[in-house]
Amino acid sequence: MATEPNPEVVELVFPASSRYVRLSRLAAATLASEVGFDVEEVDDLRIAVDELVTFLVGPDHESRTSLRFVVSPEELVVEGRTERGHPADARLSDLVEAIVSATTDEYVVDVSPDAIAFRITKRRRRPADADRSEEHTSELQSRGLIS
């Protein structure tokens, strides 16, 4: 992240259960909105996080899922990891790959027998100093993306 020497880092750790996928979506949308991503950018990030966190979690509620959000005015990086066994051939479906590819600027998924991890980067398409209007905030609130 060349634009900001000290980006903010937010970390979440929760049981590897689909019950907590909504928490990850909400965190991603809120953080993106706070730094001024537009509605489409917030939606894109929310969708990508939803798809990849859903891939991370599973029936093994004893394992933990961790998410790390690295936030700067120009981009948001999300790193996710669940340490639990996965089949060696586990992979994203073609549909999920298409969705994540369309909604992020960069992504990588790493599956090993002991863990599964991802990293996505979403960059802003508009200048960092653009003001976030009340209309923008209202639209995000009406969609339930921020409170």
Side-chain angles (χ1 to χ4, degrees):
M1 285 178 235
T3 60
E4 186 175 302
N6 296 311
E8 291 183 347
V9 175
V10 175
E11 295 179 320
L12 292 175
V13 179
F14 50 89
S17 167
S18 60
R19 291 182 1 188
Y20 299 100
V21 172
R22 184 172 192 270
L23 174 64
S24 62
R25 284 192 312 256
L26 184 59
T30 300
L31 292 169
S33 175
E34 289 296 317
V35 294
F37 279 53
D38 68 27
V39 173
E40 185 178 327
E41 293 164 334
V42 171
D43 259 353
D44 284 350
L45 184 64
R46 181 188 57 78
I47 290 166
V49 167
D50 181 72
E51 293 295 338
L52 290 173
V53 172
T54 298
F55 184 64
L56 287 184
V57 302
D60 181 9
H61 300 293
E62 292 183 22
S63 62
R64 309 295 281 172
T65 297
S66 62
L67 295 178
R68 184 173 186 259
F69 299 87
V70 182
V71 185
S72 73
E74 296 301 323
E75 70 181 17
L76 202 153
V77 175
V78 184
E79 299 168 337
R81 180 178 180 87
T82 297
E83 294 188 16
R84 62 182 178 94
H86 291 276
D89 61 348
R91 63 184 273 301
L92 296 177
S93 70
D94 291 342
L95 176 60
V96 171
E97 281 196 42
I99 290 169
V100 174
S101 179
T103 56
T104 64
D105 294 300
E106 298 173 18
Y107 80 95
V108 64
V109 175
D110 181 39
V111 178
S112 72
D114 299 325
I116 186 167
F118 72 82
R119 177 184 169 97
I120 59 175
T121 301
K122 182 70 179 169
R123 292 185 190 89
R124 292 186 64 206
R125 289 186 287 265
R126 59 191 191 123
D129 59 352
D131 291 327
R132 195 173 79 188
S133 69
E134 286 183 28
E135 180 179 313
H136 171 75
T137 302
S138 292
E139 185 170 349
L140 289 173
Q141 288 171 333
S142 71
R143 291 179 177 211
L145 299 175
I146 64 171
S147 52

